[in-house]
Amino acid sequence: MAKRNFKSRRRAFTLVELLIVIIIIGILAGMMMLSAGAATDKATATRIISDTRTMKAAAVMYKADYGSWPLWIYDVDKYVNKDASGDTSVLPGKYFDVDPVGDGYWIGAMKLPDGGVFAVAQLTAVSDAVKKSLESAAEGGGLYGVGAVHGGNITTASLKPFKATDKGLVMIISK
């Protein structure tokens, strides 16, 4: 009768051990994907805030160049300047490299009858997770929310801190 060598039989992992390792790796990968999604949402929110600040700076430069505030909006597939007192051919692209459009938003500049001038972000197609990141950033101040960018319902007095339910983000340029 041949003597069995237990050491030679125990060289490989058992099926149960392999399944446990695969399950643990799957759980860790799932947790990493969740945090990566949150990081992407925060990055998009940061980009929207940065683009809004850039639009604010562009509007100030326009005012210095033309003596009036711009009225830049994104109309279907391009920016238009509806400023009746300035050069309507001057668009935001004159002041920065890339038009701030993408990921479900566009940024514009508006002046209102009450004298307020704002950089605005139309956020109707932005995900709720990005809006929640914007709401967290708004707690520091300076970011206000509106129900809609179009329609003339924005006034300096009606501004309130941005909430995830808002469809527009407003940053004051001048009161």
Side-chain angles (χ1 to χ4, degrees):
M1 187 168 198
K3 195 176 190 186
R4 287 190 167 174
N5 185 353
F6 287 106
K7 283 188 178 181
S8 65
R9 215 173 74 172
R10 187 71 176 136
R11 286 186 187 175
F13 291 108
T14 65
L15 181 60
V16 172
E17 290 170 332
L18 288 174
L19 286 175
I20 289 172
V21 169
I22 290 171
I23 289 170
I24 290 171
I25 290 172
I27 290 170
L28 292 173
M31 290 169 56
M32 192 171 98
M33 294 299 275
L34 287 174
S35 66
T40 302
D41 296 336
K42 186 164 175 60
T44 301
T46 302
R47 181 175 155 209
I48 291 169
I49 293 168
S50 175
D51 285 348
T52 305
R53 286 186 180 130
T54 302
M55 183 61 76
K56 182 178 176 179
V60 169
M61 288 187 279
Y62 179 93
K63 167 85 166 150
D65 289 347
Y66 296 95
S68 65
W69 293 105
L71 178 54
W72 289 322
I73 61 169
Y74 195 74
D75 190 16
V76 183
D77 63 346
K78 65 182 187 288
Y79 272 94
V80 294
N81 185 356
K82 301 238 179 195
D83 180 20
S85 60
D87 185 351
T88 57
S89 67
V90 178
L91 301 175
K94 175 181 178 182
Y95 299 101
F96 45 89
D97 297 340
V98 180
D99 283 341
V101 175
D103 296 332
Y105 73 93
W106 61 265
I107 311 291
M110 295 186 173
K111 58 185 173 184
L112 303 170
D114 73 352
V117 182
F118 307 106
V120 296
Q122 179 73 30
L123 306 173
T124 51
V126 172
S127 73
D128 290 338
V130 171
K131 288 182 180 181
K132 286 185 196 276
S133 292
L134 285 168
E135 183 176 351
S136 296
E139 291 171 2
L143 300 176
Y144 302 96
V146 292
V149 171
H150 292 294
N153 59 350
I154 305 171
T155 63
T156 307
S158 70
L159 294 178
K160 59 187 176 15
F162 182 83
K163 298 289 180 204
T165 55
D166 292 328
K167 296 191 181 347
L169 176 87
V170 173
M171 188 178 288
I172 298 172
I173 299 172
S174 175
K175 287 186 181 182

